[in-house]
Amino acid sequence: MSMEIPQYLHTLIIGRKGSNINQLKNEYGGGLTTITFPVQSSASDTVTMKGPKKEVKQVHQRLGEIVEQLLTKNYESLFEVTQDEADFLFRQPNVTLRALHDKFDIWLRFPEEGRGATTETDEKESQDSLVITLTGAQEKVQEAVHFLEEARTAMGE
């Protein structure tokens, strides 16, 4: 039996040193079920399960649940700001990274040093803007983006 799982989720499902996947194998079939993920260098999303039919079906169902949970918690949205806006916004007490994480249960990721916006059409514009990635549950990410947009608007007033 096999199923399609987005490759970027494979390492999250497998866990550190295979801990998550080994636990799953032991929970369903006492380790008799094998779960095979494609090598990272391949473009395949196909995960294969073999073993006793009943246990493989249970593993398949549980993997589906795990994938759904991971997809729900890993929604991403981009928020573009100028460097000046970011400097001002993220110095406000209620807009610090910690405050946003605590209030919305999301993670913010800033571009690597020296990398601005994703568009390279205008180099000056690209250097002056940042694309911030917000990650978390879709509803919470959308609330955080709305909050940041309102904070940016209030900043201009």
Side-chain angles (χ1 to χ4, degrees), residues 39-72:
V39 293
Q40 285 184 336
S41 60
S42 80
S44 176
D45 290 339
T46 305
V47 175
T48 307
M49 295 145 279
K50 293 180 182 177
K53 193 173 188 173
K54 179 182 174 188
E55 286 78 5
V56 168
K57 189 174 181 176
Q58 290 173 327
V59 167
H60 186 273
Q61 181 179 347
R62 182 65 185 124
L63 276 175
E65 293 167 359
I66 292 168
V67 168
E68 188 173 323
Q69 289 171 349
L70 288 172
L71 289 173
T72 302

PDB file of all heavy atoms in Angstrom, residues 39-72:
ATOM      1  N   VAL A  39      14.113   8.675  -1.318  1.00  0.00           N
ATOM      2  CA  VAL A  39      15.326   9.411  -0.958  1.00  0.00           C
ATOM      3  C   VAL A  39      15.076  10.891  -1.207  1.00  0.00           C
ATOM      4  O   VAL A  39      14.309  11.275  -2.091  1.00  0.00           O
ATOM      5  CB  VAL A  39      16.565   8.920  -1.751  1.00  0.00           C
ATOM      6  CG1 VAL A  39      16.922   7.507  -1.363  1.00  0.00           C
ATOM      7  CG2 VAL A  39      16.330   9.040  -3.235  1.00  0.00           C
ATOM      8  N   GLN A  40      15.737  11.740  -0.417  1.00  0.00           N
ATOM      9  CA  GLN A  40      15.503  13.173  -0.502  1.00  0.00           C
ATOM     10  C   GLN A  40      15.819  13.750  -1.875  1.00  0.00           C
ATOM     11  O   GLN A  40      15.212  14.725  -2.292  1.00  0.00           O
ATOM     12  CB  GLN A  40      16.308  13.908   0.567  1.00  0.00           C
ATOM     13  CG  GLN A  40      15.730  13.757   1.946  1.00  0.00           C
ATOM     14  CD  GLN A  40      16.490  14.574   2.971  1.00  0.00           C
ATOM     15  OE1 GLN A  40      17.651  14.900   2.779  1.00  0.00           O
ATOM     16  NE2 GLN A  40      15.833  14.893   4.065  1.00  0.00           N
ATOM     17  N   SER A  41      16.765  13.163  -2.566  1.00  0.00           N
ATOM     18  CA  SER A  41      17.167  13.708  -3.865  1.00  0.00           C
ATOM     19  C   SER A  41      16.135  13.427  -4.966  1.00  0.00           C
ATOM     20  O   SER A  41      16.174  14.049  -6.017  1.00  0.00           O
ATOM     21  CB  SER A  41      18.527  13.158  -4.272  1.00  0.00           C
ATOM     22  OG  SER A  41      18.468  11.746  -4.363  1.00  0.00           O
ATOM     23  N   SER A  42      15.206  12.517  -4.706  1.00  0.00           N
ATOM     24  CA  SER A  42      14.177  12.236  -5.720  1.00  0.00           C
ATOM     25  C   SER A  42      13.040  13.247  -5.575  1.00  0.00           C
ATOM     26  O   SER A  42      12.880  13.880  -4.541  1.00  0.00           O
ATOM     27  CB  SER A  42      13.641  10.817  -5.575  1.00  0.00           C
ATOM     28  OG  SER A  42      12.687  10.756  -4.545  1.00  0.00           O
ATOM     29  N   ALA A  43      12.249  13.360  -6.596  1.00  0.00           N
ATOM     30  CA  ALA A  43      11.115  14.285  -6.564  1.00  0.00           C
ATOM     31  C   ALA A  43       9.833  13.575  -6.139  1.00  0.00           C
ATOM     32  O   ALA A  43       8.756  14.148  -6.197  1.00  0.00           O
ATOM     33  CB  ALA A  43      10.936  14.924  -7.931  1.00  0.00           C
ATOM     34  N   SER A  44       9.954  12.352  -5.688  1.00  0.00           N
ATOM     35  CA  SER A  44       8.781  11.538  -5.369  1.00  0.00           C
ATOM     36  C   SER A  44       8.184  11.892  -4.009  1.00  0.00           C
ATOM     37  O   SER A  44       8.893  12.203  -3.056  1.00  0.00           O
ATOM     38  CB  SER A  44       9.176  10.058  -5.372  1.00  0.00           C
ATOM     39  OG  SER A  44       8.073   9.267  -4.983  1.00  0.00           O
ATOM     40  N   ASP A  45       6.863  11.826  -3.933  1.00  0.00           N
ATOM     41  CA  ASP A  45       6.128  12.016  -2.683  1.00  0.00           C
ATOM     42  C   ASP A  45       5.542  10.696  -2.180  1.00  0.00           C
ATOM     43  O   ASP A  45       4.849  10.668  -1.176  1.00  0.00           O
ATOM     44  CB  ASP A  45       4.970  13.001  -2.897  1.00  0.00           C
ATOM     45  CG  ASP A  45       5.426  14.427  -3.133  1.00  0.00           C
ATOM     46  OD1 ASP A  45       6.553  14.764  -2.759  1.00  0.00           O
ATOM     47  OD2 ASP A  45       4.626  15.206  -3.698  1.00  0.00           O
ATOM     48  N   THR A  46       5.815   9.601  -2.882  1.00  0.00           N
ATOM     49  CA  THR A  46       5.192   8.313  -2.586  1.00  0.00           C
ATOM     50  C   THR A  46       5.867   7.599  -1.422  1.00  0.00           C
ATOM     51  O   THR A  46       7.058   7.316  -1.457  1.00  0.00           O
ATOM     52  CB  THR A  46       5.215   7.402  -3.830  1.00  0.00           C
ATOM     53  OG1 THR A  46       4.601   8.099  -4.912  1.00  0.00           O
ATOM     54  CG2 THR A  46       4.472   6.107  -3.574  1.00  0.00           C
ATOM     55  N   VAL A  47       5.073   7.318  -0.394  1.00  0.00           N
ATOM     56  CA  VAL A  47       5.528   6.574   0.776  1.00  0.00           C
ATOM     57  C   VAL A  47       4.870   5.192   0.694  1.00  0.00           C
ATOM     58  O   VAL A  47       3.662   5.093   0.484  1.00  0.00           O
ATOM     59  CB  VAL A  47       5.138   7.288   2.086  1.00  0.00           C
ATOM     60  CG1 VAL A  47       5.502   6.463   3.303  1.00  0.00           C
ATOM     61  CG2 VAL A  47       5.783   8.669   2.141  1.00  0.00           C
ATOM     62  N   THR A  48       5.681   4.147   0.855  1.00  0.00           N
ATOM     63  CA  THR A  48       5.195   2.773   0.702  1.00  0.00           C
ATOM     64  C   THR A  48       5.179   2.063   2.047  1.00  0.00           C
ATOM     65  O   THR A  48       6.119   2.203   2.829  1.00  0.00           O
ATOM     66  CB  THR A  48       6.103   2.008  -0.280  1.00  0.00           C
ATOM     67  OG1 THR A  48       6.195   2.763  -1.485  1.00  0.00           O
ATOM     68  CG2 THR A  48       5.550   0.636  -0.582  1.00  0.00           C
ATOM     69  N   MET A  49       4.117   1.282   2.291  1.00  0.00           N
ATOM     70  CA  MET A  49       3.984   0.499   3.516  1.00  0.00           C
ATOM     71  C   MET A  49       3.782  -0.963   3.149  1.00  0.00           C
ATOM     72  O   MET A  49       2.989  -1.262   2.254  1.00  0.00           O
ATOM     73  CB  MET A  49       2.791   0.994   4.335  1.00  0.00           C
ATOM     74  CG  MET A  49       2.954   2.406   4.854  1.00  0.00           C
ATOM     75  SD  MET A  49       1.392   3.314   4.878  1.00  0.00           S
ATOM     76  CE  MET A  49       1.264   3.822   3.183  1.00  0.00           C
ATOM     77  N   LYS A  50       4.511  -1.849   3.836  1.00  0.00           N
ATOM     78  CA  LYS A  50       4.376  -3.287   3.607  1.00  0.00           C
ATOM     79  C   LYS A  50       4.320  -3.993   4.949  1.00  0.00           C
ATOM     80  O   LYS A  50       4.919  -3.542   5.920  1.00  0.00           O
ATOM     81  CB  LYS A  50       5.567  -3.815   2.806  1.00  0.00           C
ATOM     82  CG  LYS A  50       5.628  -3.288   1.392  1.00  0.00           C
ATOM     83  CD  LYS A  50       6.817  -3.839   0.640  1.00  0.00           C
ATOM     84  CE  LYS A  50       6.855  -3.249  -0.759  1.00  0.00           C
ATOM     85  NZ  LYS A  50       8.011  -3.687  -1.511  1.00  0.00           N
ATOM     86  N   GLY A  51       3.623  -5.121   4.963  1.00  0.00           N
ATOM     87  CA  GLY A  51       3.513  -5.911   6.179  1.00  0.00           C
ATOM     88  C   GLY A  51       2.140  -6.554   6.255  1.00  0.00           C
ATOM     89  O   GLY A  51       1.417  -6.617   5.257  1.00  0.00           O
ATOM     90  N   PRO A  52       1.774  -7.020   7.456  1.00  0.00           N
ATOM     91  CA  PRO A  52       0.453  -7.624   7.633  1.00  0.00           C
ATOM     92  C   PRO A  52      -0.652  -6.640   7.238  1.00  0.00           C
ATOM     93  O   PRO A  52      -0.594  -5.454   7.590  1.00  0.00           O
ATOM     94  CB  PRO A  52       0.398  -7.939   9.130  1.00  0.00           C
ATOM     95  CG  PRO A  52       1.831  -8.021   9.554  1.00  0.00           C
ATOM     96  CD  PRO A  52       2.567  -7.048   8.688  1.00  0.00           C
ATOM     97  N   LYS A  53      -1.629  -7.129   6.489  1.00  0.00           N
ATOM     98  CA  LYS A  53      -2.658  -6.274   5.890  1.00  0.00           C
ATOM     99  C   LYS A  53      -3.353  -5.358   6.906  1.00  0.00           C
ATOM    100  O   LYS A  53      -3.512  -4.158   6.666  1.00  0.00           O
ATOM    101  CB  LYS A  53      -3.691  -7.156   5.180  1.00  0.00           C
ATOM    102  CG  LYS A  53      -4.621  -6.414   4.289  1.00  0.00           C
ATOM    103  CD  LYS A  53      -5.487  -7.378   3.490  1.00  0.00           C
ATOM    104  CE  LYS A  53      -6.288  -6.618   2.454  1.00  0.00           C
ATOM    105  NZ  LYS A  53      -7.007  -7.527   1.563  1.00  0.00           N
ATOM    106  N   LYS A  54      -3.768  -5.898   8.021  1.00  0.00           N
ATOM    107  CA  LYS A  54      -4.486  -5.122   9.041  1.00  0.00           C
ATOM    108  C   LYS A  54      -3.596  -3.985   9.567  1.00  0.00           C
ATOM    109  O   LYS A  54      -4.046  -2.842   9.688  1.00  0.00           O
ATOM    110  CB  LYS A  54      -4.918  -6.032  10.189  1.00  0.00           C
ATOM    111  CG  LYS A  54      -5.632  -5.324  11.304  1.00  0.00           C
ATOM    112  CD  LYS A  54      -5.989  -6.267  12.435  1.00  0.00           C
ATOM    113  CE  LYS A  54      -6.575  -5.506  13.609  1.00  0.00           C
ATOM    114  NZ  LYS A  54      -6.746  -6.368  14.773  1.00  0.00           N
ATOM    115  N   GLU A  55      -2.344  -4.291   9.882  1.00  0.00           N
ATOM    116  CA  GLU A  55      -1.428  -3.301  10.433  1.00  0.00           C
ATOM    117  C   GLU A  55      -1.082  -2.226   9.399  1.00  0.00           C
ATOM    118  O   GLU A  55      -0.989  -1.046   9.720  1.00  0.00           O
ATOM    119  CB  GLU A  55      -0.156  -3.966  10.965  1.00  0.00           C
ATOM    120  CG  GLU A  55      -0.344  -4.709  12.264  1.00  0.00           C
ATOM    121  CD  GLU A  55      -1.008  -6.087  12.107  1.00  0.00           C
ATOM    122  OE1 GLU A  55      -1.251  -6.525  10.960  1.00  0.00           O
ATOM    123  OE2 GLU A  55      -1.294  -6.710  13.138  1.00  0.00           O
ATOM    124  N   VAL A  56      -0.898  -2.644   8.151  1.00  0.00           N
ATOM    125  CA  VAL A  56      -0.587  -1.677   7.085  1.00  0.00           C
ATOM    126  C   VAL A  56      -1.749  -0.700   6.922  1.00  0.00           C
ATOM    127  O   VAL A  56      -1.542   0.506   6.771  1.00  0.00           O
ATOM    128  CB  VAL A  56      -0.267  -2.400   5.759  1.00  0.00           C
ATOM    129  CG1 VAL A  56      -0.246  -1.428   4.590  1.00  0.00           C
ATOM    130  CG2 VAL A  56       1.067  -3.120   5.869  1.00  0.00           C
ATOM    131  N   LYS A  57      -2.970  -1.216   6.992  1.00  0.00           N
ATOM    132  CA  LYS A  57      -4.141  -0.351   6.876  1.00  0.00           C
ATOM    133  C   LYS A  57      -4.176   0.659   8.032  1.00  0.00           C
ATOM    134  O   LYS A  57      -4.492   1.831   7.837  1.00  0.00           O
ATOM    135  CB  LYS A  57      -5.417  -1.203   6.853  1.00  0.00           C
ATOM    136  CG  LYS A  57      -6.653  -0.431   6.518  1.00  0.00           C
ATOM    137  CD  LYS A  57      -7.859  -1.350   6.355  1.00  0.00           C
ATOM    138  CE  LYS A  57      -9.080  -0.519   5.992  1.00  0.00           C
ATOM    139  NZ  LYS A  57     -10.238  -1.353   5.727  1.00  0.00           N
ATOM    140  N   GLN A  58      -3.840   0.205   9.238  1.00  0.00           N
ATOM    141  CA  GLN A  58      -3.813   1.102  10.402  1.00  0.00           C
ATOM    142  C   GLN A  58      -2.716   2.158  10.260  1.00  0.00           C
ATOM    143  O   GLN A  58      -2.934   3.324  10.575  1.00  0.00           O
ATOM    144  CB  GLN A  58      -3.597   0.285  11.684  1.00  0.00           C
ATOM    145  CG  GLN A  58      -4.782  -0.565  12.066  1.00  0.00           C
ATOM    146  CD  GLN A  58      -4.480  -1.481  13.250  1.00  0.00           C
ATOM    147  OE1 GLN A  58      -3.361  -1.949  13.428  1.00  0.00           O
ATOM    148  NE2 GLN A  58      -5.502  -1.739  14.055  1.00  0.00           N
ATOM    149  N   VAL A  59      -1.555   1.739   9.783  1.00  0.00           N
ATOM    150  CA  VAL A  59      -0.446   2.680   9.573  1.00  0.00           C
ATOM    151  C   VAL A  59      -0.847   3.708   8.520  1.00  0.00           C
ATOM    152  O   VAL A  59      -0.606   4.907   8.682  1.00  0.00           O
ATOM    153  CB  VAL A  59       0.847   1.931   9.161  1.00  0.00           C
ATOM    154  CG1 VAL A  59       1.897   2.900   8.651  1.00  0.00           C
ATOM    155  CG2 VAL A  59       1.390   1.144  10.341  1.00  0.00           C
ATOM    156  N   HIS A  60      -1.457   3.251   7.449  1.00  0.00           N
ATOM    157  CA  HIS A  60      -1.909   4.141   6.380  1.00  0.00           C
ATOM    158  C   HIS A  60      -2.869   5.191   6.937  1.00  0.00           C
ATOM    159  O   HIS A  60      -2.738   6.397   6.653  1.00  0.00           O
ATOM    160  CB  HIS A  60      -2.579   3.312   5.282  1.00  0.00           C
ATOM    161  CG  HIS A  60      -2.960   4.094   4.071  1.00  0.00           C
ATOM    162  ND1 HIS A  60      -4.167   4.745   3.972  1.00  0.00           N
ATOM    163  CD2 HIS A  60      -2.291   4.335   2.915  1.00  0.00           C
ATOM    164  CE1 HIS A  60      -4.231   5.354   2.805  1.00  0.00           C
ATOM    165  NE2 HIS A  60      -3.106   5.119   2.138  1.00  0.00           N
ATOM    166  N   GLN A  61      -3.829   4.753   7.734  1.00  0.00           N
ATOM    167  CA  GLN A  61      -4.809   5.667   8.324  1.00  0.00           C
ATOM    168  C   GLN A  61      -4.129   6.663   9.262  1.00  0.00           C
ATOM    169  O   GLN A  61      -4.388   7.864   9.201  1.00  0.00           O
ATOM    170  CB  GLN A  61      -5.889   4.887   9.075  1.00  0.00           C
ATOM    171  CG  GLN A  61      -6.947   5.783   9.692  1.00  0.00           C
ATOM    172  CD  GLN A  61      -8.026   4.994  10.419  1.00  0.00           C
ATOM    173  OE1 GLN A  61      -8.132   3.779  10.279  1.00  0.00           O
ATOM    174  NE2 GLN A  61      -8.839   5.688  11.181  1.00  0.00           N
ATOM    175  N   ARG A  62      -3.228   6.158  10.101  1.00  0.00           N
ATOM    176  CA  ARG A  62      -2.545   7.044  11.065  1.00  0.00           C
ATOM    177  C   ARG A  62      -1.642   8.047  10.348  1.00  0.00           C
ATOM    178  O   ARG A  62      -1.590   9.214  10.731  1.00  0.00           O
ATOM    179  CB  ARG A  62      -1.725   6.203  12.062  1.00  0.00           C
ATOM    180  CG  ARG A  62      -1.035   7.020  13.111  1.00  0.00           C
ATOM    181  CD  ARG A  62      -2.034   7.732  14.030  1.00  0.00           C
ATOM    182  NE  ARG A  62      -1.305   8.591  14.943  1.00  0.00           N
ATOM    183  CZ  ARG A  62      -1.515   9.896  15.075  1.00  0.00           C
ATOM    184  NH1 ARG A  62      -2.481  10.504  14.404  1.00  0.00           N
ATOM    185  NH2 ARG A  62      -0.800  10.600  15.911  1.00  0.00           N
ATOM    186  N   LEU A  63      -0.941   7.623   9.301  1.00  0.00           N
ATOM    187  CA  LEU A  63      -0.113   8.547   8.529  1.00  0.00           C
ATOM    188  C   LEU A  63      -0.968   9.645   7.901  1.00  0.00           C
ATOM    189  O   LEU A  63      -0.571  10.811   7.875  1.00  0.00           O
ATOM    190  CB  LEU A  63       0.671   7.810   7.439  1.00  0.00           C
ATOM    191  CG  LEU A  63       1.980   7.167   7.859  1.00  0.00           C
ATOM    192  CD1 LEU A  63       2.568   6.367   6.697  1.00  0.00           C
ATOM    193  CD2 LEU A  63       2.980   8.197   8.345  1.00  0.00           C
ATOM    194  N   GLY A  64      -2.149   9.276   7.418  1.00  0.00           N
ATOM    195  CA  GLY A  64      -3.073  10.263   6.865  1.00  0.00           C
ATOM    196  C   GLY A  64      -3.463  11.310   7.899  1.00  0.00           C
ATOM    197  O   GLY A  64      -3.511  12.508   7.607  1.00  0.00           O
ATOM    198  N   GLU A  65      -3.715  10.873   9.133  1.00  0.00           N
ATOM    199  CA  GLU A  65      -4.061  11.795  10.219  1.00  0.00           C
ATOM    200  C   GLU A  65      -2.884  12.718  10.541  1.00  0.00           C
ATOM    201  O   GLU A  65      -3.059  13.919  10.737  1.00  0.00           O
ATOM    202  CB  GLU A  65      -4.458  11.006  11.469  1.00  0.00           C
ATOM    203  CG  GLU A  65      -5.752  10.232  11.325  1.00  0.00           C
ATOM    204  CD  GLU A  65      -5.968   9.229  12.447  1.00  0.00           C
ATOM    205  OE1 GLU A  65      -5.108   9.100  13.357  1.00  0.00           O
ATOM    206  OE2 GLU A  65      -7.014   8.543  12.418  1.00  0.00           O
ATOM    207  N   ILE A  66      -1.686  12.133  10.590  1.00  0.00           N
ATOM    208  CA  ILE A  66      -0.487  12.920  10.892  1.00  0.00           C
ATOM    209  C   ILE A  66      -0.263  13.979   9.814  1.00  0.00           C
ATOM    210  O   ILE A  66       0.023  15.142  10.121  1.00  0.00           O
ATOM    211  CB  ILE A  66       0.741  11.999  11.045  1.00  0.00           C
ATOM    212  CG1 ILE A  66       0.599  11.133  12.307  1.00  0.00           C
ATOM    213  CG2 ILE A  66       2.033  12.798  11.068  1.00  0.00           C
ATOM    214  CD1 ILE A  66       1.606  10.001  12.404  1.00  0.00           C
ATOM    215  N   VAL A  67      -0.394  13.587   8.564  1.00  0.00           N
ATOM    216  CA  VAL A  67      -0.204  14.525   7.449  1.00  0.00           C
ATOM    217  C   VAL A  67      -1.208  15.665   7.543  1.00  0.00           C
ATOM    218  O   VAL A  67      -0.852  16.839   7.389  1.00  0.00           O
ATOM    219  CB  VAL A  67      -0.310  13.798   6.089  1.00  0.00           C
ATOM    220  CG1 VAL A  67      -0.413  14.786   4.943  1.00  0.00           C
ATOM    221  CG2 VAL A  67       0.877  12.875   5.896  1.00  0.00           C
ATOM    222  N   GLU A  68      -2.465  15.335   7.822  1.00  0.00           N
ATOM    223  CA  GLU A  68      -3.497  16.371   7.933  1.00  0.00           C
ATOM    224  C   GLU A  68      -3.154  17.357   9.053  1.00  0.00           C
ATOM    225  O   GLU A  68      -3.279  18.569   8.883  1.00  0.00           O
ATOM    226  CB  GLU A  68      -4.855  15.721   8.185  1.00  0.00           C
ATOM    227  CG  GLU A  68      -6.004  16.712   8.112  1.00  0.00           C
ATOM    228  CD  GLU A  68      -7.358  16.022   8.199  1.00  0.00           C
ATOM    229  OE1 GLU A  68      -7.510  14.917   7.658  1.00  0.00           O
ATOM    230  OE2 GLU A  68      -8.254  16.616   8.808  1.00  0.00           O
ATOM    231  N   GLN A  69      -2.698  16.843  10.188  1.00  0.00           N
ATOM    232  CA  GLN A  69      -2.306  17.719  11.302  1.00  0.00           C
ATOM    233  C   GLN A  69      -1.141  18.626  10.907  1.00  0.00           C
ATOM    234  O   GLN A  69      -1.149  19.819  11.196  1.00  0.00           O
ATOM    235  CB  GLN A  69      -1.913  16.887  12.525  1.00  0.00           C
ATOM    236  CG  GLN A  69      -3.062  16.196  13.196  1.00  0.00           C
ATOM    237  CD  GLN A  69      -2.600  15.211  14.258  1.00  0.00           C
ATOM    238  OE1 GLN A  69      -1.421  14.881  14.368  1.00  0.00           O
ATOM    239  NE2 GLN A  69      -3.538  14.717  15.049  1.00  0.00           N
ATOM    240  N   LEU A  70      -0.145  18.045  10.256  1.00  0.00           N
ATOM    241  CA  LEU A  70       1.025  18.830   9.849  1.00  0.00           C
ATOM    242  C   LEU A  70       0.654  19.897   8.827  1.00  0.00           C
ATOM    243  O   LEU A  70       1.141  21.027   8.891  1.00  0.00           O
ATOM    244  CB  LEU A  70       2.121  17.915   9.301  1.00  0.00           C
ATOM    245  CG  LEU A  70       2.839  17.056  10.332  1.00  0.00           C
ATOM    246  CD1 LEU A  70       3.753  16.050   9.641  1.00  0.00           C
ATOM    247  CD2 LEU A  70       3.638  17.926  11.303  1.00  0.00           C
ATOM    248  N   LEU A  71      -0.196  19.549   7.885  1.00  0.00           N
ATOM    249  CA  LEU A  71      -0.611  20.527   6.878  1.00  0.00           C
ATOM    250  C   LEU A  71      -1.393  21.669   7.516  1.00  0.00           C
ATOM    251  O   LEU A  71      -1.242  22.829   7.130  1.00  0.00           O
ATOM    252  CB  LEU A  71      -1.437  19.857   5.779  1.00  0.00           C
ATOM    253  CG  LEU A  71      -0.672  18.941   4.831  1.00  0.00           C
ATOM    254  CD1 LEU A  71      -1.636  18.208   3.901  1.00  0.00           C
ATOM    255  CD2 LEU A  71       0.371  19.714   4.039  1.00  0.00           C
ATOM    256  N   THR A  72      -2.211  21.352   8.494  1.00  0.00           N
ATOM    257  CA  THR A  72      -2.999  22.373   9.185  1.00  0.00           C
ATOM    258  C   THR A  72      -2.101  23.327   9.960  1.00  0.00           C
ATOM    259  O   THR A  72      -2.329  24.529   9.968  1.00  0.00           O
ATOM    260  CB  THR A  72      -4.000  21.707  10.151  1.00  0.00           C
ATOM    261  OG1 THR A  72      -4.836  20.843   9.403  1.00  0.00           O
ATOM    262  CG2 THR A  72      -4.841  22.727  10.865  1.00  0.00           C
TER     263      THR A  72
END
